[in-house]
Amino acid sequence: MLVPYQLPGILVFGSEATNGTEDAKARAHMRFAPPSLSASIGCRSPILRAWFFAFGALLLSAIAEARPAREVVAEAAVMMDADQQRSLVEGLGEGEPGDVSLWLAKWKEGEVYLYQDAAGTDIAVLLEGEADPEGKQTLSRVADGQAVLDADGASVRASKDDLYLADTDSGLRRVMKGVTDRIALASPDAKKRLQAVQDTGLEQDPAKLVLLEQRLSVETDRSIRNALAEAMAMIRLRDGDPAIREAAVLELGELGSIAAQGAIKTVRGEAEKAGQAELVAACDKAQRGIEGHIARVNTVGTLFRGLSLGSVLLVVAIGLAITFGLMGVINMAHGELIVVGAYTTYLIQNLFAGGIHMSPFGLKINIPGMNLSGGAWDCYFLVALPASFLAAAGVGLLLERGVIRFLYKRPLESLLATWGVSMVIQQLFRLVFGANNVQVESPAFLSGNWTVNDIVFGWNRVFVIVFAVLIIFLTWLVLNKTSLGLLIRAVMQNRGMAACMGVRTERVNMMTFAFGSGLAGLAGAFLSQIGNVGPNLGQNYIVDSFMTVVVGGVGNIMGTVISALGIGMADQSLQQILGNPVLGKILVLGAIILFLQWKPSGLFATRSRSLD
Amino acid sequence: MNTTISGKAPTLLLAAVALFLVVGMPSLNAAGAVSDFTLNTWGKYLCYAILAIAVDLLWGYTGLLSLGQALFFSLGGYMLGMHLMLMIGKLGAYKSDLPDFMVFLGLKELPDFWQPFYSFPFAALMVLAIPALLAGIFGYLAFRSRIKGVYFSILTQALTYGAALMFFRNDLMMGGNNGFTDFRSLLGADLRSPEIKRALYLASAISLSAVFLFCKWLTTSRFGLIQRAIRDSENRVLFSGYSAANFKLFVFVISAVIAGIGGALYVPQVGIINPSEMMTEKSLEAVVWVAVGGRGTLIGPVLGAIGVNYLKSWATTEYPDLWLIILGATFVIVVLFLPKGIVGVPAQIKSMIDRRKAIKRDRADDLAAINPSPEAE
């Protein structure tokens, strides 16, 4: 049975560490630098050694009574009496956390040896330095990092075989684990703390209950408090008293603890054998509670994924909603405009890193990069967004001037001609960038995720949604609040009348198409963050985006928004229900065909009295 | 729109070409003047020509641009392919009665829907029935809700996409990604022997001729008249009391069946069928053949299919990197400048000359009006 840990020490340290005062951080950092390193530095350079000792003194004064971990370890390792050894090790819990775990790990992993000096006293030592041909290394004291000297003042050399290993029995190792766990639970890093709490819960070691209770009394982070409650309940599942077990089971059920499912099952099995009907019932109830929680997590997860897929569709289709929806041009090269945006992002990324080095068509292109890294490099994406908009808008402008303006009255033909253009562009991409996918790295602020109540929200998916909202807002702004938007709407509603009023329809067509193409480019910049960038990227989205626009009702941006979200949700929900992504997709396509039976001109039909 | 050269001479010419394709090529091959490879390649072209006619019947004559004809083509191919797969018997890599991919998937018994495909007549019937059934259902739904123009194109594109996704899956039991290949025999004869290759070529040539004649008859009949009327003004047809939807459905089904026949003849000649054959791009490629050849005529698609594929065979070996650019650019140029395709070029030149002449005459008249000649005074 373990002796309760000394509370005050932990309390002082824990609060200090979590508050993260500057010098506490600095200390932790300094002491984290491997002591063996500082020891060797100490040996070589007197100035550094002086610094080191000064720092050590500072440290000693900061943590009042705590002795350096290495000293304690050195003392404990040579101790014969197991009980004393354990109580010494337990005392380590108050020490500098990085140091303690480091030295305990060294001991546990068999790096600490015992050396008997001339006087017959055991000294705990480490083997250091290069091994000579006989396998001998210099010995350094664990206690202070000084070399062990013999009577003549020369450093002692020995091989592993000459020394006794300072071994640890299972009882001692358990004590050590307790100490390291306590340190982990007090870790200033919330993520590590959470992990430690969860691990402790899964261990279900009743001895750790006290530890968790102590932590709970000082913990301020809400998610960790929840995890603590969960872990404590899980430990209580092992309690001898069935009443406590029952309470724990019920609590876990209410908490919706996914991790505890297995443990509750075990408890239920035992209770059934022992004939404790009430406990069995409690287990069943808890199980139902947890299953309900899992179902909720899955539903919310599916909704979130649906929302983000819908946003992807929306971003991809919004450009098409303008060129196809408003202008009536079937632009099969829309996918390639997306790819223009994606490759622009790729080029900008390279410009921020090592530069652009390519040799298409025998031309040698070498543009030196800025060789940035970290936060400055992350900014490439902010440059890439407008760049990809402009690049795609430029290509769109050329496409409109070169091909599409001749075909405004022949929509079927515009479909065919733009398909021809899309093939040419695709092949050009293959020739310039190669047929394989290129690597676009996400900036740091788009990686990682955020977990709430067991539901994982990836940053890039959150970004997708925010981005979609921004783009819709931008589009709405351009169409409704600018003079260009006014002209666009006028020309799209009645080209002839607009021309009569003196609107230069040719120019408006050009600008509208360029705007739609630019939006496709933005979509490309954005797809480069969530998937591969290759010449075929656009082809994967073309059918989906046309579907989205058709279902939404041609000529209606709002319809596109709703249909994109609807299709995204339906797709993800069907995937969840059927457990098969492809089947889900096929069903969605079927559903769209049936939907058009019911509403042939989409969700929001433009009302008109004209025929065709 | 139907501006092809009329009169007896072209008909005779057509008959001569047909005769050469049906009789001439195979006999030259038998005599050794045409290699087996060339004959096989031409057999493939003729199958493409059948597909092109199917596309044209819909697009050129009825104004329905379907991006799903390659789907019906592949479905026909798959139906015959199922029979061919079963005919491999124990000759496959796994020495099993089951097709190799099924053994690979761990199947012990043939799925029920495969059983009847041991019979060739059944498979041949399915070649016609399955495309017709799918086209019937889809067409009924689409035309009933009066989906037309580009919406029809986009929907057929979605249909094709969905179907391809389905065929890519292994649990459809249609070979998944790899499709069917490694065929051995058809009707007891070895598929690799030159005789059976010649027979397959012959079948393609005869089928093409038959399809051509059938479509000729169909489009010149009263039915063809309504078909073109739908293309040019669907509303007027509706107001005249015709049920345009039924006409369109009928043409759609016929076109699907024709495409299916083409596919069934294609598969044993190339020896492979997989889902990539039914992708939208393949349908669009067929549309390119029709556009290049000249839509709204029957000879145009045939010329286009053979011509473009001949160009493709040449370009993919000479300039493999540039082929797609050539194809895409050709397409853009044809759409922009040659709306009637190759077949329409003479008429286009003629009308251009006529216009020039007309302008000149007008100018001369104007001049005459301004400066009256002395005699008139």
Side-chain angles (χ1 to χ4, degrees), chain A residues 65-81:
Chain A
E65 302 96 345
R67 289 167 63 196
R70 55 192 309 160
E71 269 179 33
V72 180
V73 168
E75 192 186 334
V78 296
M79 219 165 251
M80 287 296 139
D81 182 46

Side-chain angles (χ1 to χ4, degrees), chain B residues 168-320:
Chain B
F168 270 120
R169 298 181 58 211
N170 276 329
D171 31 351
L172 191 70
M173 290 303 152
M174 296 296 271
N177 210 352
N178 299 320
F180 301 153
T181 185
D182 210 14
F183 308 130
R184 304 282 167 149
S185 61
L186 176 60
L187 296 174
D190 187 356
L191 268 175
R192 270 167 272 185
S193 70
E195 288 77 26
I196 190 89
K197 282 194 171 174
R198 203 176 306 140
L200 281 170
Y201 169 84
L202 201 62
S204 311
I206 292 175
S207 305
L208 176 61
S209 310
V211 164
F212 187 93
L213 287 177
F214 170 76
C215 290
K216 188 94 199 158
W217 168 74
L218 191 69
T219 51
T220 44
S221 65
R222 275 176 59 83
F223 180 86
L225 202 63
I226 297 167
Q227 220 184 331
R228 269 170 287 151
I230 290 175
R231 176 189 71 192
D232 294 336
S233 176
E234 187 172 340
N235 285 323
R236 286 195 208 173
V237 176
L238 273 176
F239 297 156
S240 309
Y242 291 95
S243 161
N246 289 349
F247 279 92
K248 288 201 279 189
L249 182 58
F250 181 74
V251 178
F252 192 51
V253 171
I254 292 283
S255 164
V257 170
I258 293 175
I261 295 173
L265 289 164
Y266 175 79
V267 166
Q269 297 193 66
V270 295
I272 184 166
I273 177 79
N274 59 38
S276 65
E277 287 290 325
M278 59 172 73
M279 296 299 279
T280 320
E281 292 92 83
K282 296 284 173 180
S283 297
L284 274 160
E285 229 172 279
V287 174
V288 178
W289 307 334
V290 177
V292 169
R295 68 185 126 121
T297 68
L298 283 173
I299 192 68
V302 179
L303 277 180
I306 296 175
V308 173
N309 279 294
Y310 195 82
L311 184 71
K312 182 179 183 176
S313 300
W314 171 77
T316 43
T317 47
E318 294 289 319
Y319 306 103

Side-chain angles (χ1 to χ4, degrees), chain A residues 334-406:
Chain A
H334 184 76
E336 277 56 46
L337 292 170
I338 293 175
V339 186
V340 168
Y343 273 120
T344 309
T345 311
Y346 167 71
L347 289 179
I348 299 280
Q349 172 207 248
N350 284 1
L351 213 57
F352 270 63
I356 301 166
H357 309 283
M358 294 187 305
S359 50
F361 312 114
L363 296 168
K364 286 254 178 293
I365 299 177
N366 276 308
I367 301 171
M370 295 192 260
N371 290 314
L372 299 174
S373 61
W377 180 81
D378 284 346
C379 289
Y380 89 85
F381 191 60
L382 302 179
V383 179
L385 281 178
S388 42
F389 180 89
L390 292 177
V395 174
L397 204 67
L398 286 179
L399 185 61
E400 203 271 344
R401 285 290 91 183
V403 178
I404 289 169
R405 68 173 164 147
F406 304 109

Side-chain angles (χ1 to χ4, degrees), chain A residues 7-351:
Chain A
L7 249 173
I10 298 179
L11 256 174
V12 168
F13 179 69
S15 57
E16 201 176 40
T18 38
N19 290 346
T21 54
E22 277 307 309
D23 48 345
K25 261 188 193 168
R27 271 202 307 281
H29 184 70
M30 256 318 272
R31 297 298 278 171
F32 251 109
S36 59
L37 181 80
S38 48
S40 60
I41 292 169
C43 290
R44 284 191 202 124
S45 148
I47 300 172
L48 273 176
R49 196 196 306 174
W51 262 106
F52 175 66
F53 279 129
F55 211 87
L58 209 89
L59 195 83
L60 278 178
S61 64
I63 303 171
E65 302 96 345
R67 289 167 63 196
R70 55 192 309 160
E71 269 179 33
V72 180
V73 168
E75 192 186 334
V78 296
M79 219 165 251
M80 287 296 139
D81 182 46
D83 283 340
Q84 276 185 13
Q85 207 174 28
R86 283 178 208 172
S87 69
L88 250 181
V89 171
E90 263 162 33
L92 271 175
E94 297 157 43
E96 180 72 17
D99 234 16
V100 172
S101 8
L102 186 100
W103 283 100
L104 286 182
K106 274 187 194 274
W107 191 4
K108 210 158 49 177
E109 281 155 26
E111 285 176 33
V112 176
Y113 291 89
L114 298 183
Y115 169 76
Q116 210 162 35
D117 67 3
T121 41
D122 281 329
I123 306 173
V125 292
L126 296 176
L127 293 174
E128 271 181 358
E130 294 285 308
D132 57 16
E134 290 165 64
K136 291 190 173 179
Q137 288 168 289
T138 52
L139 302 182
S140 81
R141 288 171 198 268
V142 171
D144 51 14
Q146 301 286 339
V148 180
L149 306 175
D150 61 10
D152 308 329
S155 61
V156 178
R157 297 179 75 82
S159 74
K160 283 181 188 176
D161 302 334
D162 305 335
L163 303 166
Y164 291 102
L165 186 71
D167 52 2
T168 50
D169 59 16
S170 62
L172 183 58
R173 278 200 297 273
R174 210 178 309 132
V175 176
M176 288 178 172
K177 180 87 171 66
V179 172
T180 42
D181 280 349
R182 189 159 29 141
I183 289 172
L185 284 179
S187 163
D189 183 351
K191 265 189 193 155
K192 277 190 193 148
R193 217 152 65 224
L194 185 65
Q195 187 62 43
V197 171
Q198 283 166 347
D199 287 348
T200 317
L202 284 175
E203 265 174 60
Q204 292 190 289
D205 180 356
K208 303 255 170 79
L209 197 55
V210 202
L211 214 61
L212 295 177
E213 273 167 3
Q214 287 166 356
R215 187 68 230 168
L216 189 62
S217 62
V218 292
E219 184 59 65
T220 47
D221 189 319
R222 231 181 105 230
S223 67
I224 297 181
R225 285 186 75 91
N226 281 341
L228 276 166
E230 188 182 337
M232 279 159 62
M234 275 178 79
I235 292 176
R236 281 202 207 100
L237 288 180
R238 286 277 179 85
D239 200 285
D241 183 355
I244 294 184
R245 279 214 297 274
E246 191 180 323
V249 164
L250 289 176
E251 192 184 347
L252 283 171
E254 265 165 41
L255 285 171
S257 163
I258 297 171
Q261 268 184 311
I264 290 179
K265 225 172 253 172
T266 322
V267 170
R268 189 184 186 278
E270 288 165 4
E272 223 165 26
K273 256 184 222 156
Q276 295 155 320
E278 277 181 30
L279 190 49
V280 173
C283 286
D284 288 341
K285 191 178 166 210
Q287 202 69 23
R288 277 196 302 278
I290 295 172
E291 273 159 20
H293 175 67
I294 294 178
R296 276 193 296 280
V297 167
N298 283 345
T299 315
V300 176
T302 306
L303 285 181
F304 176 64
R305 278 194 303 278
L307 195 64
S308 85
L309 179 69
S311 308
V312 171
L313 281 180
L314 182 54
V315 172
V316 171
I318 191 77
L320 207 64
I322 303 228
T323 54
F324 172 46
L326 288 178
M327 301 178 71
V329 174
I330 316 295
N331 184 11
M332 294 291 272
H334 184 76
E336 277 56 46
L337 292 170
I338 293 175
V339 186
V340 168
Y343 273 120
T344 309
T345 311
Y346 167 71
L347 289 179
I348 299 280
Q349 172 207 248
N350 284 1
L351 213 57

Side-chain angles (χ1 to χ4, degrees), chain A residues 499-515:
Chain A
C500 290
M501 304 303 277
V503 177
R504 283 190 279 175
T505 53
E506 282 269 300
R507 236 179 88 150
V508 172
N509 283 337
M510 205 168 88
M511 298 302 280
T512 315
F513 195 82
F515 180 58

